[in-house]
């Protein structure tokens, strides 16, 4: 009946709230967490945050490799957001594939099916060329002067992600 269900619900709520005041056994902190606790990007209140244990049993070299990948993926994600938003306000004047101007490609996810295989090949080739070979070069224009501020800038980049 409803009164029995209400009593059971009240009893369950009381038991749950009592468990909140029970002493909690403190678990051991892994050596990986302790080893990387002073790395750049470790902030309060979470400290070194690795809930899935990716850094368990790795050395400093592997950690640095993971950190480099983290920064790179964060930058790629930022560029992806810009690439998603830009077509809303600007269209390039070239053809993404023969006979298909960029202006005719719809925005957002609809663009996936609108771009033919040749267009995707161009996009993937351009990304690979820049990523693997660095074909766009190393330009001095627009670079901030970071002498002595590299660590501070890296921390600013790590904090949001």
């Amino acid at each position: 009946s409803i009164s029995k269900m209400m009593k059971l619900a009240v009893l369950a709520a009381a038991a749950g709230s009592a468990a909140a005041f029970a002493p909690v056994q403190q678990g051991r902190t892994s050596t990986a967490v302790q080893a990387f606790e002073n790395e750049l990007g470790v902030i309060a209140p979470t400290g070194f945050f690795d809930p899935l244990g990716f850094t368990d049993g790795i050395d400093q070299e592997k950690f640095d490799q993971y950190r480099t990948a983290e920064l790179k993926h964060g930058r790629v994600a930022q560029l992806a957001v810009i690439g998603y938003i830009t077509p809303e306000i600007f269209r390039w004047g070239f053809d993404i594939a023969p006979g298909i101007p960029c202006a005719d490609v719809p925005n957002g996810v609809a663009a996936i099916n609108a771009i033919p295989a040749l267009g995707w090949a161009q996009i993937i080739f351009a990304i690979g060329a820049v990523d693997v070979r660095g074909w766009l070069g190393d330009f001095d224009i627009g670079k901030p002067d970071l002498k002595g501020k590299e660590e501070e800038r890296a921390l600013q980049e790590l904090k949001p992600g």
Side-chain angles (χ1 to χ4, degrees), residues 80-92:
V81 168
I82 290 172
Y84 194 83
I85 294 171
T86 300
E88 296 288 338
I89 56 174
F90 176 78
R91 293 297 179 137
W92 296 102

Side-chain angles (χ1 to χ4, degrees), residues 72-104:
K72 184 176 185 177
H73 294 149
R75 292 170 184 162
V76 168
Q78 292 169 6
L79 288 172
V81 168
I82 290 172
Y84 194 83
I85 294 171
T86 300
E88 296 288 338
I89 56 174
F90 176 78
R91 293 297 179 137
W92 296 102
F94 63 88
D95 288 357
I96 192 75
I100 302 176
C102 289
D104 291 349

Side-chain angles (χ1 to χ4, degrees), residues 7-154:
K7 289 178 184 177
L8 186 59
V10 169
L11 181 64
S17 64
F21 297 102
V24 177
Q25 179 181 356
Q26 297 294 325
R28 293 184 183 192
T29 305
S30 74
T31 56
V33 170
Q34 292 172 351
F36 303 118
E37 191 64 39
N38 295 322
E39 286 294 327
L40 190 64
V42 176
I43 55 175
T46 58
F48 181 72
F49 187 70
D50 182 19
L52 298 178
F54 288 126
T55 58
D56 291 347
I58 66 169
D59 59 1
Q60 185 66 41
E61 183 179 347
K62 191 68 166 175
F63 179 81
D64 292 341
Q65 183 181 4
Y66 285 171
R67 180 54 56 89
T68 301
E70 176 185 7
L71 288 170
K72 184 176 185 177
H73 294 149
R75 292 170 184 162
V76 168
Q78 292 169 6
L79 288 172
V81 168
I82 290 172
Y84 194 83
I85 294 171
T86 300
E88 296 288 338
I89 56 174
F90 176 78
R91 293 297 179 137
W92 296 102
F94 63 88
D95 288 357
I96 192 75
I100 302 176
C102 289
D104 291 349
V105 176
N107 294 344
V109 179
I112 293 172
N113 294 327
I115 299 174
L118 183 58
W120 282 112
Q122 289 176 352
I123 293 168
I124 292 168
F125 177 78
I127 291 170
V130 171
D131 190 40
V132 175
R133 306 285 290 170
W135 282 356
L136 289 183
D138 188 13
F139 303 102
D140 289 330
I141 297 172
K143 285 187 180 178
D145 182 19
L146 296 178
K147 291 180 180 73
K149 295 184 179 181
E150 292 89 354
E151 189 172 305
E152 177 186 348
R153 286 297 186 114

